[in-house]
Amino acid sequence: MGAALINNAMLKWARYRAKVEIDVLTNKYHKYKDWEEGISNPSFKQAQKLASLLKVPFGYLFLNTPPYEVRQTVDLRTIDDINLSEFSLDLKEVIADAIQKQDWFRDYIIDAGAKPLEFASKYSPSSPIEEVAEDISTRLNLSYSTRQDISSKDAMLQYLTEQSEKVGILVIRNGKVGFNTHRSLKVEEFRGFALPDEYAPLIFINSADYRAAQIFTLVHEIAHIWIGIEGVSNYSISQQANRHSEIELRCNAIAAEVLLPTELFLENWRLHSERLAQKYEALANHFKVSSIVVARKALDMELIDKSDFFEFYNILVKRWNASKSKSSGGNFNASFPISNSKRFTKTILYEISKGNLLLRNGARLLNSKASTVFNYGKDRGIL
């Protein structure tokens, strides 16, 4: 196939971006230094393998200048509560993909005559927590009777996802970069992020996390949409108020109030006389949340003290570490639309069927091959 006429400056940029030492590549390809200095060029096969190794699209190596890198959103914290100065390449790619989807969808719905969403950026970070939580619950139809009808945590996650998309929020739940099974997203880096917008707000949930944790993350990111401040989040339920941004603490408090309304929580707390661990579990099953979220709510309401909370928290951490949650492959036809947002996927397929969007362009937006998208749409009678 011959040599690949890549830009040697872009090869050097990709290596620095990936933080790979030149000796690593020289040991693998003895002519690598010549390629980076522009003395010679790799073959197409070698260039493709280099792009994969350096985690950049193959086409980037042919550009004249580096592409626009994804904007760094306002807050990124790890499970260990350590601030990170830079996102991983996987997270950067996921955010860039989400921004691309959001930009396309915003233009699409504006062209279709959509109006700005009334709830987007409706509140400020200083708005009363109960007021924001009540508005979120009302718009997502999370009434007392609805809560009673939801049978499990899985059902709660599905319901909240569907209701969010129904009111106009694109919700992506994925535990990988696209559909690459070799690039799993690390919960240790992030649990989710929100990209507020008055027309097409978007939320991404790291589905490699536990289901109960995904529920809290989803509502936490919804709170970001309501107060109009973007952020990549990995809240730690054990955090203390003086160690984290006020925005994240506010979104945590709003999420807790949505999922565990204070009056209902108190009523159910008093109904149970079991030991604390059993009480946490009973209320977690009742409200379809994690037991640690219940314990944190109890601590914030001064129903338990810090020693009670951290005793339980430390037990759970050991349990979590002993049984790390891994996202199974599952059924592709079921995961495909969720991994791209059901609403977004349906819109792309509709536009392809109408001839308004080329199949290959639609497939690119869905991170898939054209044949995969065609077969998926054909099976559903859309294409």
Side-chain angles (χ1 to χ4, degrees):
M1 189 176 289
L5 302 180
I6 63 171
N7 182 342
N8 65 297
M10 287 303 300
L11 183 60
K12 183 181 290 186
W13 166 83
R15 180 174 63 80
Y16 278 117
R17 176 178 177 270
K19 298 180 179 178
V20 176
E21 294 294 333
I22 194 168
D23 290 345
V24 173
L25 295 175
T26 303
N27 289 336
K28 193 173 183 66
Y29 304 101
H30 69 277
K31 291 186 177 181
Y32 179 80
K33 285 185 179 179
D34 289 346
W35 300 341
E36 195 169 286
E37 292 173 7
I39 297 172
S40 64
N41 289 299
S43 67
F44 267 89
K45 187 174 182 180
Q46 289 171 327
Q48 288 172 333
K49 287 184 177 180
L50 279 170
S52 177
L53 182 64
L54 298 175
K55 296 184 177 179
V56 293
F58 180 49
Y60 278 18
L61 299 182
F62 296 86
L63 297 176
N64 291 322
T65 58
Y68 165 73
E69 282 285 87
V70 62
R71 64 184 184 256
Q72 297 276 318
T73 47
V74 295
D75 187 51
L76 173 64
R77 287 178 287 118
T78 70
I79 280 177
D80 294 326
D81 301 339
I82 301 171
N83 289 322
L84 298 184
S85 59
E86 187 177 336
F87 298 168
S88 70
L89 296 182
D90 287 344
L91 179 51
K92 281 184 177 180
E93 192 168 324
V94 165
I95 298 175
D97 178 67
I99 291 172
Q100 183 181 34
K101 285 179 167 63
Q102 184 183 55
D103 288 346
W104 185 94
F105 196 76
R106 181 199 298 111
D107 291 343
Y108 172 80
I109 60 175
I110 289 176
D111 287 345
K115 303 295 182 185
L117 297 169
E118 194 272 335
F119 60 80
S121 304
K122 179 178 179 180
Y123 296 94
S124 73
S126 60
S127 298
I129 290 168
E130 295 78 9
E131 184 179 340
V132 181
E134 183 177 357
D135 192 53
I136 291 173
S137 297
T138 299
R139 289 180 187 275
L140 299 186
N141 192 28
L142 196 60
S143 63
Y144 178 77
S145 59
T146 302
R147 295 171 194 269
Q148 297 298 102
D149 292 337
I150 297 173
S151 60
S152 66
K153 294 182 179 70
D154 280 352
M156 174 65 86
L157 180 60
Q158 181 178 342
Y159 180 81
L160 289 173
T161 300
E162 291 175 351
Q163 290 300 112
S164 297
E165 294 223 310
K166 189 178 292 184
V167 301
I169 303 170
L170 297 178
V171 180
I172 298 171
R173 286 173 27 221
N174 197 353
K176 302 178 291 295
V177 179
F179 291 96
N180 190 334
T181 55
H182 300 292
R183 296 181 67 186
S184 297
L185 299 174
K186 294 179 175 61
V187 178
E188 291 81 3
E189 182 175 20
F190 84 110
R191 282 192 160 105
F193 61 80
L195 300 175
D197 184 82
E198 60 179 344
Y199 288 95
L202 183 146
I203 289 171
F204 187 102
I205 304 299
N206 187 347
S207 65
D209 205 358
Y210 295 93
R211 284 301 177 92
Q214 291 180 51
I215 294 169
F216 192 89
T217 299
L218 175 55
V219 185
H220 174 101
E221 303 306 341
I222 288 171
H224 271 280
I225 301 299
W226 253 249
I227 64 175
I229 298 178
E230 67 182 11
V232 176
S233 309
N234 197 324
Y235 68 90
S236 170
I237 205 71
S238 66
Q239 65 194 36
Q240 298 299 301
N242 62 348
R243 296 182 61 196
H244 296 276
S245 83
E246 289 300 319
I247 298 300
E248 290 301 294
L249 289 170
R250 205 73 175 173
C251 290
N252 278 355
I254 293 168
E257 184 62 25
V258 170
L259 293 168
L260 302 163
T262 298
E263 288 188 21
L264 286 177
F265 181 80
L266 272 174
E267 179 183 321
N268 282 273
W269 181 267
R270 291 165 182 156
L271 286 175
H272 294 274
S273 58
E274 308 98 324
R275 297 175 61 180
L276 283 177
Q278 285 74 36
K279 183 179 285 195
Y280 299 148
E281 194 62 37
L283 268 68
N285 290 332
H286 179 80
F287 287 101
K288 316 303 183 299
V289 296
S290 167
S291 56
I292 196 61
V293 174
V294 173
R296 181 68 206 209
K297 177 82 173 184
L299 174 63
D300 291 342
M301 294 180 64
E302 299 183 349
L303 297 171
I304 61 173
D305 58 34
K306 287 184 179 179
S307 62
D308 290 327
F309 173 79
F310 281 103
E311 180 182 359
F312 182 62
Y313 176 77
N314 291 330
I315 290 172
L316 284 187
V317 167
K318 290 179 181 178
R319 191 182 303 168
W320 294 333
N321 289 336
S323 59
K324 291 288 188 181
S325 174
K326 293 189 181 294
S327 179
S328 62
N331 181 283
F332 175 79
N333 286 334
S335 64
F336 179 70
I338 296 172
S339 297
N340 282 298
S341 157
K342 282 188 175 181
R343 188 181 181 204
F344 185 81
T345 303
K346 184 177 180 180
T347 301
I348 293 295
L349 292 174
Y350 176 80
E351 289 302 297
I352 292 172
S353 72
K354 295 298 181 183
N356 298 327
L357 181 65
L358 292 176
L359 176 60
R360 65 172 178 270
N361 292 338
R364 192 175 298 117
L365 284 166
L366 295 173
N367 300 313
S368 300
K369 296 178 181 178
S371 57
T372 300
V373 173
F374 178 78
N375 290 332
Y376 179 86
K378 184 180 179 181
D379 289 344
R380 279 146 190 76
I382 301 173
L383 301 180

